[in-house]
Amino acid sequence: MANVDSGFMGVLEKRLMPLAEMVGKNKYLLTLRDTFAAIMPLLIVGSMFTLIGSFPIQAWTEFLANTTIGAETLASLISVPAMCTVSMMALFVAFLMGYNFAEHEKLDDRLAAGIVSLLAWLLLLPLYTEFTPEGATEAFKVASMPLGWIGSKGVFVAIVSGFLSVKVYGALVHKNLMIKMPEGVPPTVSRAFSALIPMSVTVVCVWIVRVLFTMTPWGDLFTFLYSFLQIPLQNLGGTVFAQAFVYLFAHILWFFGIHGTNITDSVYQPILLTLSAQNQEAIAAGLAAPNIINAQFQSLFATLGGGGSTLSLLVAMLFFCRSDRIQKLAKLSIGPGIFNINEPIIFGLPIVLNPVLLVPFILVPLFNIVTTYGVMAIGLVPITNGVLVPWTTPAIISGFLVSGWQGAVWQAVLLVCGVLIYLPFIKTLDRKYLADQELAKLEESGTSSAIDEIDLDNIDFDF
């Protein structure tokens, strides 16, 4: 037995848990929590199909690509569920933001608030896709729903527009600027008319924002926010400091529910791919690989199991945590996690907006970057060979493919180090969940009157 109120665990308990409680009472953060919890089943389903379609066995991927059903390949058909879930994530978030925020704004018609939020997001969405025909030099704008913005790139706008549109809508509702229907009118019809004026005014306000952005160099709010977030990354290059800064920035975005690596990769990935190509050319010419930082360094060593190097977290959860909530989630997430799909753990634990896990979520990737750079710089582990392996390739295997047996061993070392870093933080969260679990059992057994007699703060648990 160990006293969890002493030493480092006690410090975490005293410092982080009050912060978590404060976060738990904030209506904006609660809305985000409930929204991402609601889309968890969608993300899990989409992740499973992504795993099936991208399983890192060449014979399997070739089979999917060469097998046709009707006019489509099996690979394209398997990708449809992922496209309708993960790739359209912002669409669901846009509706659920308004639906969940309505409760905190004391609005009775949550469905109307969800519709307002979704409508506001759609009004701001650039309804075209740029298309350059083969052989042409000029891009054409084709009227369409742009999939690029409907996915993770559009989540940030969905959050902002959801909060602001429901704020405007709720203010009008609370001022009773509504059409009152006489008694006897069916409730559904009455609610529809009562939402008419607030919804119309909100739409006009959002439309004005849309019009104003058409007069800017960005053209729309989506492009503006996306470009604004990329500014700190424009001058980054292939140095360990650049890699560390990119991952620090990306993981802060991840903490707020934004797919950080999608944003940073749009600017940084071309640089990394160029560096990888230089390595591949040098090795082909019989020379030493010149670039330690490259695409393989980032995808295969900076993180294991996805953003935050959450494979280490999953191992810590499986072998060192005891609460039912964490154990069940770990067992559900370990399969996708091995293949670097970590949305279930990001949004299910959750890591998003969870101050208890913020420090290790950022620290583990930075530790991986700095130490991997060091062992490659001194020649202990070979610099990656520039070969692009599928992003779903599991750790150990991927390390062997790009850096030989030394790369595989080093990935194992990073995995263990990540477990050690995550362990005290996840144990802190596990202790809270165990306490909640104990309270729930007492209430279910009808002994809630004895709850006050239990000193949960002095319960000891094994590591």
Side-chain angles (χ1 to χ4, degrees):
M1 302 291 286
N3 188 347
V4 295
D5 287 322
S6 62
F8 186 43
M9 289 294 294
V11 172
L12 289 176
E13 184 78 14
K14 293 176 182 178
R15 302 294 184 188
L16 295 180
M17 295 314 298
L19 180 59
E21 292 178 4
M22 181 183 69
V23 168
K25 295 178 181 178
N26 185 284
K27 64 180 181 180
Y28 299 100
L29 300 182
L30 285 173
T31 299
L32 288 170
R33 182 202 65 186
D34 295 341
T35 295
F36 287 108
I39 64 173
M40 260 291 295
L42 298 174
L43 297 176
I44 292 174
V45 170
S47 297
M48 293 300 180
F49 277 90
T50 299
L51 177 57
I52 294 171
S54 304
F55 201 79
I57 296 178
Q58 186 176 358
W60 172 251
T61 55
E62 289 179 353
F63 167 75
L64 296 180
N66 296 328
T67 303
T68 58
I69 299 178
E72 298 190 55
T73 65
L74 189 55
S76 64
L77 291 173
I78 289 177
S79 69
V80 170
M83 291 182 63
C84 293
T85 53
V86 178
S87 297
M88 294 188 179
M89 180 180 176
L91 190 66
F92 300 103
V93 171
F95 171 79
L96 290 168
M97 283 296 300
Y99 183 83
N100 290 318
F101 192 46
E103 180 180 2
H104 302 289
E105 290 295 293
K106 306 295 189 269
L107 296 173
D108 296 329
D109 196 345
R110 298 177 65 187
L111 180 61
I115 293 173
V116 167
S117 177
L118 175 60
L119 181 57
W121 181 78
L122 289 171
L123 283 169
L124 295 169
L125 185 69
L127 297 175
Y128 63 85
T129 302
E130 290 191 350
F131 171 70
T132 305
E134 186 176 352
T137 57
E138 182 180 355
F140 295 89
K141 292 183 178 180
V142 181
S144 63
M145 292 281 286
L147 288 177
W149 292 124
I150 294 175
S152 59
K153 286 170 60 177
V155 168
F156 189 70
V157 177
I159 293 172
V160 173
S161 62
F163 282 136
L164 295 180
S165 61
V166 174
K167 268 289 187 182
V168 174
Y169 174 80
L172 296 169
V173 169
H174 292 315
K175 290 183 180 296
N176 291 318
L177 296 177
M178 299 181 292
I179 298 175
K180 301 290 186 180
M181 300 299 290
E183 294 183 7
V185 175
T188 304
V189 177
S190 179
R191 284 197 299 269
F193 275 92
S194 65
L196 182 59
I197 294 177
M199 189 177 293
S200 299
V201 174
T202 304
V203 166
V204 170
C205 292
V206 176
W207 176 78
I208 291 173
V209 173
R210 167 67 180 262
V211 172
L212 292 175
F213 266 98
T214 61
M215 296 184 287
T216 69
W218 299 279
D220 57 80
L221 180 62
F222 282 75
T223 304
F224 167 73
L225 289 177
Y226 195 70
S227 300
F228 178 76
L229 290 171
Q230 291 177 358
I231 289 176
L233 309 176
Q234 294 297 329
N235 297 320
L236 292 177
T239 67
V240 66
F241 303 105
Q243 179 74 90
F245 177 80
V246 166
Y247 258 52
L248 174 62
F249 183 67
H251 282 69
I252 290 174
L253 293 178
W254 262 120
F255 178 72
F256 289 99
I258 304 168
H259 199 307
T261 46
N262 269 6
I263 292 175
T264 56
D265 279 357
S266 62
V267 172
Y268 198 43
Q269 192 69 6
I271 299 173
L272 296 177
L273 290 173
T274 301
L275 297 172
S276 292
Q278 292 174 0
N279 280 6
Q280 194 169 354
E281 292 170 0
I283 291 174
L287 304 174
N291 304 309
I292 296 178
I293 303 296
N294 52 65
Q296 289 73 39
F297 181 99
Q298 173 174 277
S299 61
L300 305 181
F301 291 98
T303 56
L304 305 175
S309 204
T310 50
L311 186 57
S312 294
L313 173 59
L314 283 169
V315 172
M317 291 167 62
L318 277 173
F319 291 99
F320 299 100
C321 292
R322 298 171 55 194
S323 64
D324 290 342
R325 176 174 174 178
I326 288 181
Q327 276 292 309
K328 289 177 180 178
L329 181 62
K331 291 174 183 177
L332 178 66
S333 304
I334 189 64
I338 290 173
F339 296 93
N340 303 312
I341 299 170
N342 70 341
E343 279 81 1
I345 195 71
I346 290 284
F347 298 105
L349 188 57
I351 292 174
V352 170
L353 298 174
N354 188 339
V356 177
L357 294 176
L358 173 61
V359 171
F361 184 69
I362 293 176
L363 180 60
V364 174
L366 295 180
F367 172 85
N368 292 351
I369 290 168
V370 173
T371 55
T372 301
Y373 186 88
V375 296
M376 288 186 176
I378 64 176
L380 196 60
V381 175
I383 296 173
T384 58
N385 55 23
V387 175
L388 295 174
V389 298
W391 62 272
T392 50
T393 305
I396 312 302
I397 296 175
S398 61
F400 175 79
L401 292 175
V402 299
S403 292
W405 66 266
Q406 300 98 321
V409 171
W410 181 246
Q411 283 185 324
V413 171
L414 291 178
L415 181 63
V416 173
C417 291
V419 171
L420 297 176
I421 295 173
Y422 266 115
L423 187 58
F425 296 89
I426 191 61
K427 285 292 292 183
T428 298
L429 198 62
D430 184 53
R431 181 173 183 269
K432 179 181 183 300
Y433 290 162
L434 278 169
D436 293 342
Q437 184 177 313
E438 186 67 22
L439 287 172
K441 288 180 180 178
L442 289 171
E443 291 175 353
E444 290 177 3
S445 64
T447 58
S448 57
S449 59
I451 291 177
D452 293 336
E453 300 176 7
I454 300 174
D455 187 359
L456 295 174
D457 291 331
N458 291 320
I459 296 177
D460 293 337
F461 296 102
D462 290 322
F463 283 96

